[in-house]
Amino acid sequence: FMKANIIDGKAVAAKIREEIAAKVAELKAKYNRVPGLAVVIVGDRKDSQTYVRMKRKACEEVGIAPFGADLPATATQEEVLEAVRGFNDNPDVHGILVQLPLPKHIDEQAVLGAISVEKDVDGFHPLNIGRLAMKGREPLFAPCTPVGCMELLERCNIPIKGKRAVVVGRSNIVGMPAALLLNKRDATVTICHSATKDMESIVRQADIIIAAAGQAQLVRGSWVKPGAAIIDVGTNPVDDPSKAAGYRLVGDVHFEECKEVAGAITPVPGGVGPMTIAILLRNTLDSGERFITRDVKSKESSR
Amino acid sequence: FMKANIIDGKAVAAKIREEIAAKVAELKAKYNRVPGLAVVIVGDRKDSQTYVRMKRKACEEVGIAPFGADLPATATQEEVLEAVRGFNDNPDVHGILVQLPLPKHIDEQAVLGAISVEKDVDGFHPLNIGRLAMKGREPLFAPCTPVGCMELLERCNIPIKGKRAVVVGRSNIVGMPAALLLNKRDATVTICHSATKDMESIVRQADIIIAAAGQAQLVRGSWVKPGAAIIDVGTNPVDDPSKAAGYRLVGDVHFEECKEVAGAITPVPGGVGPMTIAILLRNTLDSGERFITRDVKSKESSR
Ligand SMILES: NC(=O)C1=CN([C@@H]2O[C@H](COP(=O)(O)OP(=O)(O)OC[C@H]3O[C@@H](n4cnc5c(N)ncnc54)[C@H](OP(=O)(O)O)[C@@H]3O)[C@@H](O)[C@H]2O)C=CC1
Ligand SMILES: NC(=O)C1=CN([C@@H]2O[C@H](COP(=O)(O)OP(=O)(O)OC[C@H]3O[C@@H](n4cnc5c(N)ncnc54)[C@H](OP(=O)(O)O)[C@@H]3O)[C@@H](O)[C@H]2O)C=CC1
């Protein structure tokens, strides 16, 4: 038996970003317009500020125009809503995302709900989730991290149709949409969560495991069917005095054990992580393309 | 081992209808208003006409006001949409349903999409399905047949949390929403469909089986874990020369075999069937209550 193929998320993400840059350049050449992504951030949490900076930089690298609203932690709900509505109305903005978490005094559901469904590049709107669940419907956008998981499976030629898939976790942003995407691709999906009993024996039946529980090294080598594909979404900080930061990140999967059993496995970091931003950029590109070509058509027909 | 408890859907549905009638009477006494349900039917398919008549009769029995639009098979898309919009605007109508299937020249998705989410008592709107899939969200309405399945489990005191559930079928109106409801109630759910392999061994792990594949007697006795609860949604006509009609209805479960193994099982007919209309009435009651008390409050606050 050969050791698992280590899936290089960084390389796949770089490839996707190249594809995006090429398409953005095409739009620019053809219509003299580019997709635009607006990021709304409230407060000065260091981690959130870092994520937002990374997203802005990623936009610039592929030629997507970055927009932003950087509101103080004391901003009122109405001010946050105003920022979102401004971007809804801005024809140069094709994607809007609100960096979470928001300060406690802001109603997250109301703010997310204010984003135009057509600019919901995070894919969190219930209308998009509903379409993801339904036969014969397609969401305008699906959530970035689960789409990233699917891309990794597909670009590694891992068969999905008719395979048993187990998703550990059922959050709105990872577990549930991952399960719905796998179902749409005709896997037979089981959704596990904190009330699941004897999870080990369920996971052991899976040809595809998506781990998104936020529990360091939850999935052990003994839980894995030989040859299974493992996508590890977890990013959990664990103490590590040997690191300058005093900690390192580990996944929801025990990598060292599982790589001896699996057929393919993503590392943490360098697996799913880089995919999330790549898919965010692609969702923004898709949206920009939709808006820009629609504008062109409506101008043509009004002549 | 004792034989399965045969779940009497007719009796449970009758009980629910009684509860509804009592609440409608309460609304009537308190506000002098009753919930209203509008059914739109297009064309003269005999089965559809029968269903619509049954729904009207069921409304009348519990005191819900029935409304209807009976359009000819030649009606245009615009005429059907007009009928829906009229009911959207009618303050005495709190639930709207369009009897399916529609004639081929009518765009079903457009017509269903035109129903106000707040009056979508069938629960088919993607916004309602999305909320059903999401943590921390609740749909205004969930689809009637799967809610009926859940009611049967609950009223028979069948535990759900932490149990393994297998749903056979993933349609928008039965399988998928059933899976999402079971997940919301903390079962560990596996969704099977036509691409599922070795379904037998998957079903055999289930504490709860919901069969909604539209395949006569698909689930055999040998597929069932002793003591499992079986909810059989299927209603399939099979030839039976001994019947006056020339056929009889059977479920997606082989009843004779499975009742010897299961802990509880619904018969066909008389199981899930009667529940669907009962839940439709309850969704309409809930909607009527929501509208009527909201109207009262807004009148009070405008005084
Ligand atoms: N790489 C990336 O780009 C991203 C990484 N992440 C990482 O992915 C992980 C999951 O994130 P997210 O979905 O937001 O987390 P949430 O905390 O929102 O959800 C965790 C889910 O896992 C379930 N769960 C928790 N503990 C267990 C357990 N012991 N056994 C089985 N299920 C369990 C929970 O069940 P229940 O519903 O019953 O509570 C819940 O559904 C985190 O480590 C996060 O940091 C997240 C987003 C993006
Ligand atoms: N009692 C009541 O009130 C109601 C009863 N029904 C009955 O319930 C049944 C299902 O209805 P509905 O959901 O509308 O049907 P659909 O035909 O829309 O969906 C059937 C589902 O079952 C799956 N399926 C079909 N064959 C198999 C198989 N051999 N093995 C595994 N899965 C299979 C299909 O898979 P795929 O997605 O891959 O095609 C599909 O997801 C029917 O008998 C219908 O008459 C329906 C509504 C109400």
Side-chain angles (χ1 to χ4, degrees):
Chain A
F1 180 72
M2 295 206 318
K3 279 200 186 172
N5 168 23
I6 312 292
I7 299 174
D8 185 347
K10 236 163 132 177
V12 175
K15 178 90 182 28
I16 292 174
R17 292 224 295 266
E18 253 173 52
E19 295 166 8
I20 295 167
K23 286 212 177 147
V24 170
E26 231 177 81
L27 282 177
K28 170 103 183 166
K30 207 159 159 191
Y31 305 112
N32 196 30
R33 290 183 65 189
V34 297
L37 175 66
V39 179
V40 177
I41 177 168
V42 186
D44 45 16
R45 278 177 66 118
K46 263 217 183 110
D47 55 344
S48 292
Q49 292 280 354
T50 305
Y51 289 135
V52 169
R53 243 191 338 268
M54 281 168 58
K55 285 169 188 171
R56 166 177 281 271
K57 189 161 154 275
C59 280
E60 283 163 352
E61 278 169 13
V62 298
I64 289 177
F67 292 75
D70 196 338
L71 303 172
T74 54
T76 64
Q77 164 106 352
E78 192 46 42
E79 284 165 340
V80 180
L81 288 173
E82 265 314 304
V84 169
R85 289 190 205 117
F87 291 130
N88 280 344
D89 295 339
N90 185 335
D92 293 326
V93 170
H94 310 111
I96 302 171
L97 69 87
V98 175
Q99 187 65 40
L100 301 180
L102 289 168
K104 288 216 178 64
H105 66 283
I106 310 270
D107 176 353
E108 181 180 305
Q109 211 162 301
V111 171
L112 292 182
I115 298 172
S116 155
V117 188
E118 297 201 295
K119 299 188 178 184
D120 171 42
V121 284
D122 259 341
F124 294 163
H125 195 292
L127 204 52
N128 279 322
I129 300 290
R131 289 179 184 152
L132 196 60
M134 292 170 85
K135 274 176 96 158
R137 306 278 181 118
E138 287 299 332
L140 288 167
F141 309 99
C144 302
T145 301
V147 171
C149 297
M150 297 301 289
E151 282 285 337
L152 288 177
L153 292 172
E154 281 162 26
R155 295 198 184 218
C156 296
N157 296 313
I158 292 162
I160 300 172
K161 183 173 177 164
K163 297 298 174 187
R164 293 288 304 272
V166 171
V167 180
V168 182
R170 56 173 170 179
S171 73
N172 292 339
I173 64 174
V174 190
M176 180 54 77
L180 298 175
L181 282 163
L182 285 162
N183 173 67
K184 256 208 192 316
R185 293 288 315 276
D186 290 330
T188 300
V189 183
T190 304
I191 305 168
C192 296
H193 45 74
S194 64
T196 296
K197 288 181 188 148
D198 192 15
M199 197 157 62
E200 179 174 341
S201 79
I202 298 173
V203 171
R204 206 176 287 119
Q205 296 173 26
D207 303 301
I208 297 168
I209 300 164
I210 296 193
Q215 304 288 329
Q217 304 183 312
L218 175 69
V219 176
R220 308 299 302 251
S222 62
W223 295 26
V224 175
K225 173 158 109 182
I230 304 180
I231 306 290
D232 186 356
V233 183
T235 45
N236 311 290
V238 294
D239 289 339
D240 185 345
S242 79
K243 301 272 166 184
Y247 72 93
R248 67 194 161 94
L249 293 178
V250 303
D252 287 352
V253 170
H254 196 299
F255 184 79
E256 291 305 322
E257 286 178 13
C258 292
K259 80 174 184 350
E260 304 296 324
V261 192
I265 185 168
T266 61
V268 175
V272 175
M275 293 297 290
T276 300
I277 287 191
I279 304 298
L280 172 66
L281 298 175
R282 200 174 66 187
N283 278 354
T284 305
L285 166 67
D286 290 348
S287 183
E289 215 171 352
R290 195 151 47 212
F291 273 104
I292 292 168
T293 55
R294 189 194 297 168
D295 288 354
V296 170
K297 277 195 199 121
S298 77
K299 260 187 207 144
E300 273 169 1
S301 66
S302 68
R303 260 187 287 192
Chain B
F1 182 71
M2 294 206 318
K3 280 202 188 169
N5 168 22
I6 312 294
I7 298 173
D8 185 347
K10 234 162 132 178
V12 175
K15 177 93 182 28
I16 292 174
R17 291 224 298 266
E18 253 173 53
E19 295 166 8
I20 294 167
K23 287 212 176 148
V24 170
E26 230 176 81
L27 282 176
K28 171 103 183 168
K30 205 159 162 192
Y31 304 111
N32 197 29
R33 290 182 64 188
V34 295
L37 175 66
V39 179
V40 176
I41 177 168
V42 185
D44 46 16
R45 279 177 65 119
K46 262 217 181 107
D47 54 345
S48 293
Q49 293 280 355
T50 305
Y51 289 134
V52 169
R53 241 190 341 267
M54 280 167 59
K55 286 169 189 172
R56 166 178 282 271
K57 189 163 155 274
C59 281
E60 283 163 351
E61 278 169 14
V62 298
I64 289 176
F67 293 74
D70 195 339
L71 303 172
T74 54
T76 64
Q77 164 107 352
E78 192 45 42
E79 284 166 339
V80 180
L81 287 173
E82 263 316 303
V84 169
R85 289 189 205 117
F87 291 130
N88 280 343
D89 295 340
N90 186 335
D92 293 326
V93 169
H94 310 112
I96 302 170
L97 71 86
V98 175
Q99 186 67 39
L100 301 180
L102 289 167
K104 287 215 179 62
H105 66 283
I106 309 272
D107 176 353
E108 183 180 304
Q109 212 163 301
V111 171
L112 292 182
I115 298 173
S116 156
V117 188
E118 298 201 294
K119 298 187 179 184
D120 171 42
V121 283
D122 259 341
F124 295 163
H125 195 291
L127 204 54
N128 279 322
I129 300 291
R131 289 178 184 153
L132 196 60
M134 292 170 84
K135 272 175 97 158
R137 308 275 182 121
E138 287 299 332
L140 289 167
F141 308 99
C144 303
T145 302
V147 170
C149 297
M150 298 301 289
E151 281 284 338
L152 288 178
L153 292 171
E154 281 162 29
R155 296 198 183 219
C156 297
N157 295 314
I158 293 162
I160 301 173
K161 182 171 178 167
K163 297 296 172 188
R164 294 289 303 276
V166 171
V167 180
V168 181
R170 54 172 172 180
S171 73
N172 292 339
I173 64 173
V174 190
M176 179 55 77
L180 298 175
L181 282 163
L182 285 162
N183 173 68
K184 254 205 194 315
R185 291 289 315 273
D186 289 330
T188 300
V189 183
T190 303
I191 305 168
C192 297
H193 46 74
S194 65
T196 296
K197 288 181 186 147
D198 192 15
M199 196 157 63
E200 179 174 339
S201 79
I202 298 173
V203 171
R204 207 176 288 119
Q205 297 172 25
D207 302 301
I208 297 167
I209 300 164
I210 296 193
Q215 304 287 328
Q217 304 182 315
L218 175 68
V219 176
R220 309 297 302 251
S222 62
W223 296 24
V224 175
K225 172 158 112 182
I230 305 178
I231 306 290
D232 187 356
V233 183
T235 44
N236 311 289
V238 295
D239 289 340
D240 185 344
S242 80
K243 301 273 166 181
Y247 72 93
R248 67 194 160 96
L249 292 178
V250 302
D252 288 352
V253 170
H254 197 300
F255 183 78
E256 291 305 321
E257 286 178 11
C258 292
K259 80 174 185 350
E260 303 296 323
V261 192
I265 186 169
T266 61
V268 174
V272 175
M275 293 297 290
T276 300
I277 287 191
I279 303 298
L280 172 66
L281 297 175
R282 201 176 62 188
N283 278 353
T284 305
L285 166 66
D286 290 347
S287 183
E289 214 170 354
R290 196 149 48 214
F291 273 104
I292 291 168
T293 55
R294 190 195 295 168
D295 287 355
V296 170
K297 277 194 198 120
S298 77
K299 260 188 207 143
E300 274 170 1
S301 66
S302 70
R303 257 187 291 193

